[in-house]
Amino acid sequence: MRINRVVLSSALIVVALVVQVSVLARLQLPGAVPDLVLLTVLGLALVYGHLGGAFIGFGAGLLSDFAPPADHAAGRYALVLCLVGYAAGLAKPDHGRLRSATGPMVVVVCAAIGSTLLYAGVGALVGDTAARHVGLVNLLFTAAVYDLLLAPFTVPLIMALARRAENDPLAETSGGPAKSSSFATGWLSGGTGLRIGNQRGGLRVKAARNRAARAGRIKGVKRL
């Protein structure tokens, strides 16, 4: 992953985790807790694709596993978000731009239900039966509803920030000297109105014409 992707993803994940732990988790809503970290992973995966979504999901899940008040085995949520980020990245739209809100909303609902099922399934494998006491159906329903209500305020914003970072001119120069030279040439030609390289002959001809014109004016003065 490129540096700008890593920096932006890390910052967004940290902010989402802080808001989720300090605000959303204290709302004491019935059933599940709105998963802002999951929505952040989805928004980034829809722009960066399946591999980027998998890496971001794993990092976000691992950070959530160690953030208080986590009471489950480390790596459990990292596995869940890694799989969810990979699957969401497969639904990446062309050029990361949305044509309608239907696709991302379907992704959000599927991710909310899928992550809850995966989390409960991994918990059952390690002997955690908390989902049975709370009620798995209730968790699935409330997780889908809460994330679906929160998604319109988060996913489009996250995708817009990710696309803006992808279009950063500084990122275009990271491909090597050739790209750097091409970018510099384009910037100079765009800023000065001069085309470099192919117009050298034209500039020489223009300079010769100017010298001839000046010589003609001087001769005319002498004749007078």
Side-chain angles (χ1 to χ4, degrees):
M1 296 179 66
R2 293 186 292 183
I3 298 299
N4 56 341
R5 290 188 179 186
V6 175
V7 173
L8 177 64
S9 301
S10 302
L12 291 176
I13 292 298
V14 170
V15 171
L17 184 60
V18 171
V19 172
Q20 181 168 324
V21 172
S22 61
V23 178
L24 298 179
R26 298 185 179 184
L27 295 178
Q28 297 182 350
L29 297 173
V33 175
D35 200 339
L36 186 58
V37 175
L38 173 64
L39 296 178
T40 304
V41 171
L42 294 180
L44 294 173
L46 288 173
V47 176
Y48 296 151
H50 57 284
L51 291 180
F55 282 114
I56 294 171
F58 180 81
L62 194 62
L63 190 62
S64 301
D65 287 332
F66 289 101
D71 56 354
H72 55 267
R76 180 176 170 184
Y77 202 46
L79 174 62
V80 172
L81 285 188
C82 180
L83 296 176
V84 171
Y86 182 88
L90 296 176
K92 172 187 174 182
D94 295 336
H95 306 295
R97 297 184 181 276
L98 298 177
R99 295 183 178 179
S100 66
T102 304
M105 293 301 102
V106 172
V107 172
V108 169
V109 173
C110 293
I113 295 175
S115 61
T116 304
L117 288 174
L118 285 173
Y119 188 81
V122 175
L125 293 176
V126 297
D128 185 0
T129 59
R132 296 180 181 177
H133 302 291
V134 177
L136 183 58
V137 176
N138 184 39
L139 283 177
L140 292 174
F141 177 76
T142 53
V145 171
Y146 295 155
D147 291 348
L148 190 60
L149 292 176
L150 189 60
F153 304 98
T154 55
V155 175
L157 176 61
I158 292 169
M159 294 184 67
L161 291 174
R163 288 197 304 267
R164 185 180 182 86
E166 287 292 279
N167 295 329
D168 188 354
L170 295 178
E172 300 297 330
T173 63
S174 61
K179 288 187 176 181
S180 178
S181 176
S182 176
F183 171 73
T185 302
W187 181 81
L188 287 173
S189 63
T192 61
L194 298 177
R195 287 181 291 178
I196 301 173
N198 294 333
Q199 293 298 316
R200 290 181 179 176
L203 292 176
R204 291 174 182 173
V205 172
K206 186 176 181 180
R209 290 177 179 174
N210 290 335
R211 288 195 298 268
R214 287 197 299 269
R217 288 195 298 270
I218 291 174
K219 291 181 180 178
V221 173
K222 289 182 177 180
R223 289 175 182 174
L224 293 174

